[in-house]
């Protein structure tokens, strides 16, 4: 990698609030969220798009924040785990508690954000559809069985 | 409080201000600074009782947690144990990690803080239940004085002391001030509740840390944020033992946000910048040269060749030598030999290594996700050449530990880096590539077995030689010499080769190595004897004939249990797993079942795995059945989750886990070439508990080991190859031509 690209000013809407920030154009959204906006719920796991820990929504679509430069999404609406619901009330968040999904919890923001995008698109996913979508996100603690159960519960309860 | 590092005397609430765009985040865990060097004084209005408990004016009860949370549920389990005897109202429970500085100052009142080896519950339950009972009695004594009645007339319940005959009650908050002046009673005068009277322990209570882990508010080491904090990225010598030869700091010091370039020891260099991306980008742009060092020609091939020499040389240690293997071996009818290999593994917790340090002239503080907070403190003190009593360690939540966070290499580096800019906190974060390539690893080992079967197909002699890199049983021999099998002649030897890559225990430690090799070999013997694998294993685990041998140094130990009792317990879980799996039901062609047992200390586990070969060189795992006896369960749902997670962890090791070395450097770098099991590969897992309710064990590890040979045995049973070297991905899984 050579020197950083020029700083540029980018306007984003993050969790419903307009944010104007000056950052190197190739700076990944992940580090903007974490280090500049203090939104540390979005996690760094691999930086190469292989683990899903950094999954957020960009204009509603599940997006790997480590693979998305800020300049590429200028003007977009970004939702992070902190903005998924005001009160932990999203059906998935409730289902995550009911099924006691998290262990270390580190992957879970990304898991919930990917699952939320899935349910928004497909409110009653089959087990196969859940598996196909969620294989993008690693859980090193192995909470997979409970993730599936929680998504199915949220689909039922939503 | 004169001892505070002035500008950092912030509250937890300040730490959260950074999360300005967050939705009502609540901090979890102790991650604020900096009651640093004062004793852990409870805030005004709160009363600390006997180190462990803080009662607030609103009658909430804060429990201090001395075991580290890496996902296993330590916070909740420890809270259940402490709250049980305390008779605290579970709905009003809060928790915080202990202060390590306070722990040191108070003569280590919080017991063992090192969190490892599935020992958290086993080594804490007496301490916590006793402390809870002592504090309850302090509250009872205070209430007795206030009511003017004998203590025996009082009942503690739901964070209040009740006097049933008069219907009076006093909340803990109303009594705490008086209770704090009551000396803690002698534990010998207390009687702890019998298990059948437990209200919290043994119940599947919801984990206390789960809500914060569903909305992004849980704070891990990587999330620590302090006023004015800088960020550091690090480059380390790619070659094991290599050194930094040269670098060109000038090339990057002018880059935006970059503050300093700091050599770290002899083998690493860091860039400090305003945020991590800037630091990482500058580091990647900086010309750096390394000097190779003695291991530059090291490779997986040379390591394997060296281990093989170990198998041929005279053993360094004879661990066990029952009967006379030399005499029995040639006499037997049938012989079997096999060699097994287990590779290096990286722990790969999902949160990369990190630590945040703040150093001034005479003080230091470290915020770190660690399994060993006391070691972290001493390592930082030693690195800085400072008095350990001038430092504090704030443990944070860990994004996984698995043994990796028993090392404090990144703490040492963080201290060195922060020392370069005194008075400013610096967060060191490793990249995933750093984390994969520079961890101490679960070591490699090679095993060679030779066994003799007599005419009836029973094992007459068993010889197992291990070539490994350590004499430390945790890294080499656990699970190999403690076998309970009814084999009259058994010899287990260790050849120790010079270690090249630093070892770190990984979930399941050497059990995960030796369970694979011994349970595979038993399965091979069953096949050779023409016996059913379960029946063969069962006959070997005959309590009446259990070998009268106990390894000289075992930790976790067997709590004085005799081999016959241990064999009976292990056989009980074997039976349960086979029964629940429907072992005797026939399977279709191309399908197979495997079984394995693992005794770790006072935990007894058995696993059955069912597979289907797909006819295209691979296989599918249909289901996994685990039967387990860890004595007691603090929280059955958390324990089940631990077993489910252990299965995923073990399957990852079995199928994909392999770190290789070329030109002295680790080859793998990230999750693309160091693969993890993913959700669509996760089999159904059934967990069945068989509880002896006599001796406490652990639940976080043993299934990790047992599931590996259960899987490889199932593949062989389905007609696939006998897997003698891991990982399975290096093999083509075709049906053998018979
Ligand atoms: S951190 Fe973005 S996919 Fe892993
Ligand atoms: S809960 Fe630990 S990585 Fe998923």
């Amino acid at each position: 990698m050579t020197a950083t690209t020029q700083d540029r000013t980018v306007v984003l809407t993050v969790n419903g609030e307009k944010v104007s920030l000056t950052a190197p154009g190739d700076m990944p959204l992940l580090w903007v969220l974490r280090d500049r906006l203090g939104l540390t719920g979005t996690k760094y796991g691999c930086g190469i798009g292989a683990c899903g820990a950094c999954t957020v929504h960009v204009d509603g679509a599940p997006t790997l924040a480590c693979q998305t430069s800020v300049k590429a999404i200028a003007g977009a609406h970004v939702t992070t785990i902190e903005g998924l619901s005001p009160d932990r009330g999203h059906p998935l968040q409730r289902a995550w508690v009911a099924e006691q999904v998290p262990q270390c919890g580190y992957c879970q923001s990304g898991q919930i954000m990917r699952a939320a995008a899935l349910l928004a698109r497909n409110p009653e996913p089959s087990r196969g559809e859940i598996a196909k979508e969620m294989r993008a996100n690693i859980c090193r603690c192995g909470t997979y069985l409970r993730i599936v159960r929680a998504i199915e519960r949220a689909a039922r309860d939503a | 409080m004169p001892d505070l590092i002035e500008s950092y005397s912030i509250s937890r609430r300040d730490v959260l201000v950074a999360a300005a765009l967050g939705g009502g985040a609540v901090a979890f865990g102790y991650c604020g600074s900096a009651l640093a060097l004062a004793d852990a004084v409870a805030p005004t209005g709160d009363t600390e009782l006997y180190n462990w408990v803080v009662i607030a004016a609103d009658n909430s009860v804060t429990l201090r947690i001395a075991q580290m949370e890496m996902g296993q549920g330590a916070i909740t389990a420890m809270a259940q144990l402490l709250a049980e005897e305390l008779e605290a109202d579970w709905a009003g429970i809060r928790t915080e990690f202990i202060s390590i500085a306070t722990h040191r100052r108070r003569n280590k009142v919080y017991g063992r803080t090192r969190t490892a080896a599935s020992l958290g519950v086993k080594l804490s339950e007496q301490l916590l239940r006793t402390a809870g009972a002592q504090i309850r009695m302090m509250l009872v004594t205070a209430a007795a004085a206030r009511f003017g009645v004998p203590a025996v007339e009082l009942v503690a319940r739901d964070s209040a002391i009740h006097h049933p005959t008069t219907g009076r009650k006093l909340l803990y908050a109303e009594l705490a001030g008086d209770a704090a002046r009551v000396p803690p009673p002698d534990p010998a005068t207390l009687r702890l509740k019998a298990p059948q009277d437990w209200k919290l322990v043994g119940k599947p209570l919801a984990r206390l840390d789960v809500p914060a882990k569903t909305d992004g508010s849980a704070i891990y080491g990587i999330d620590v944020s302090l006023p004015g904090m800088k960020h550091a990225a690090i480059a380390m010598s790619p070659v094991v033992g290599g050194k930094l030869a040269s670098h060109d700091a000038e090339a990057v010091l002018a880059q935006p946000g970059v503050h300093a370039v700091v050599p770290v020891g002899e083998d690493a260099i860091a860039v400090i910048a305003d945020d991590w991306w800037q630091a990482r980008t500058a580091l990647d742009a900086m010309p750096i040269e390394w000097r190779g060092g003695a291991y530059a020609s090291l490779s997986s091939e040379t390591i394997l060749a060296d281990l093989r020499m170990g198998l041929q040389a005279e053993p360094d240690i004879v661990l066990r030598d029952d009967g006379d293997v030399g005499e029995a071996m040639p006499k037997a009818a049938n012989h079997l030999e096999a060699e097994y290999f287990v590779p290096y593994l990286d722990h790969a917790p999902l949160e990369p290594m990190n630590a945040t340090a703040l150093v001034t002239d005479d003080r230091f503080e470290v915020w770190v996700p660690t399994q060993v907070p006391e070691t972290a403190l001493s390592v930082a003190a030693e690195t800085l050449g400072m008095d350990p009593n001038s430092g504090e360690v704030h443990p944070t939540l860990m994004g996984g530990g698995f043994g990796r966070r028993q090392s404090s290499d990144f703490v040492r580096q963080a201290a060195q880096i922060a020392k370069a800019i005194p008075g400013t906190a610096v967060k060191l974060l490793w990249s995933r590539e750093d984390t994969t390539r520079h961890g101490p690893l679960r070591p490699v080992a090679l095993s060679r077995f030779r066994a003799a079967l007599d005419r009836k197909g029973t094992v007459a002699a068993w010889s197992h030689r291990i070539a490994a890199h350590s004499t430390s049983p945790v890294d080499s021999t656990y699970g190999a010499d403690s076998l309970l099998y009814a084999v009259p002649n058994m010899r287990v030897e260790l050849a120790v080769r010079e270690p090249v890559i630093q070892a770190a225990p990984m979930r399941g430690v050497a059990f995960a190595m030796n369970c694979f090799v011994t349970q595979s070999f038993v399965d091979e013997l069953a096949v050779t004897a023409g016996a059913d694998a379960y029946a063969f294993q069962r006959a070997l685990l005959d309590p009446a004939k259990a070998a009268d041998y106990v390894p000289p140094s075992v930790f976790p130990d067997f709590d004085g249990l005799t081999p016959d009792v241990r064999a009976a317990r292990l056989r009980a879980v074997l039976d349960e797993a086979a029964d629940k799996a429907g072992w005797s039901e026939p399977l279709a062609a191309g399908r197979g079942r495997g079984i394995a047992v693992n005794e770790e200390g006072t935990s007894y586990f058995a696993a059955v795995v069912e597979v289907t070969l797909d006819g295209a060189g691979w296989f599918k795992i249909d289901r996994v059945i685990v039967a387990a006896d860890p004595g007691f369960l603090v929280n059955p749902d958390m324990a089940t989750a631990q077993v489910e997670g252990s299965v995923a962890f073990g399957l990852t090791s079995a199928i994909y886990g392999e770190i290789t070395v070329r030109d002295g450097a680790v080859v793998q770098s990230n999750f693309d070439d160091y693969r993890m099991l993913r959700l669509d590969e996760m089999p159904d897992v059934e967990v069945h508990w068989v509880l002896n309710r006599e001796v406490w064990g652990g639940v976080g590890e043993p299934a990790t080991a047992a599931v590996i040979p259960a899987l490889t045995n199932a593949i062989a049973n389905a007609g696939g190859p006998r897997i003698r070297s891991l990982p399975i991905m290096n093999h083509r899984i075709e049906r053998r031509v018979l």
Side-chain angles (χ1 to χ4, degrees), chain B residues 256-343:
Chain B
V258 173
H259 288 270
V261 172
V262 185
V264 183
E266 289 191 311
D267 59 358
I269 185 155
V271 172
I272 303 176
D274 285 338
D275 60 46
W276 191 76
W277 174 250
Q278 292 169 330
R280 187 73 235 173
T281 309
L283 188 68
D284 288 343
M286 183 164 67
I288 305 173
E289 280 179 42
W290 307 98
R291 264 184 292 121
Y295 291 119
S297 61
L298 192 73
S299 71
S300 289
E301 291 71 28
T302 61
I303 293 166
L304 183 61
D306 181 62
L307 289 174
R308 192 153 277 132
M309 287 190 26
L311 290 186
Q312 277 141 21
E314 280 298 300
D316 297 287
I317 300 171
V318 177
L319 293 150
R320 173 170 180 177
D321 198 6
D322 300 358
D324 192 334
V325 169
E327 188 182 304
M329 200 69 84
K331 284 193 192 150
N334 223 335
H335 294 94
L336 187 68
E337 274 188 41
E339 195 176 290
Y340 291 89
F341 172 74
V342 292

Side-chain angles (χ1 to χ4, degrees), chain A residues 43 50 100 103-104 144, chain B residues 207 213 220 223 275 677-678:
Chain A
K43 298 302 192 219
Q100 293 283 292
Q103 289 187 28
C104 87
Y144 297 130
Chain B
R207 286 175 65 136
K213 289 176 174 178
Y220 300 82
D223 304 324
D275 60 46
L677 193 83
R678 289 181 185 260

Side-chain angles (χ1 to χ4, degrees), chain A residues 43-47 49-54 64 66:
Chain A
K43 298 302 192 219
Y44 165 62
C46 71
C51 78
C54 64
L64 299 174
C66 74

Side-chain angles (χ1 to χ4, degrees), chain A residues 7-46:
Chain A
D7 272 10
R8 52 159 83 199
T9 301
V10 175
V11 177
L12 297 172
T13 304
V14 179
N15 296 338
E17 278 186 47
K18 212 160 223 146
V19 185
S20 169
L21 48 96
T22 303
D26 62 354
M27 186 166 177
L29 175 62
L30 172 63
W31 298 108
V32 170
L33 292 171
R34 290 185 52 83
D35 286 352
R36 302 232 170 153
L37 302 179
L39 290 169
T40 54
T42 304
K43 298 302 192 219
Y44 165 62
C46 71

Side-chain angles (χ1 to χ4, degrees), chain A residues 15 28-34 39-58 61-69 73 78-82 105-115 117 134 136-139, chain B residues 222-223 276 350-352 432 670-671 678:
Chain A
N15 296 338
L29 175 62
L30 172 63
W31 298 108
V32 170
L33 292 171
R34 290 185 52 83
L39 290 169
T40 54
T42 304
K43 298 302 192 219
Y44 165 62
C46 71
I48 63 163
C51 78
C54 64
T55 306
V56 298
H57 297 172
V58 175
T63 302
L64 299 174
C66 74
Q67 299 297 294
T68 306
S69 69
I73 56 160
V78 176
T79 306
T80 70
I81 186 72
E82 291 92 342
Y106 194 78
C107 71
Q108 301 296 346
S109 301
Q111 306 278 8
I112 291 170
M113 293 310 283
R114 182 167 303 280
M134 299 305 294
N137 288 40
I138 289 171
C139 176
Chain B
I222 195 175
D223 304 324
W276 191 76
L350 199 57
E351 179 191 16
R432 170 56 54 189
N670 206 317
F671 293 127
R678 289 181 185 260

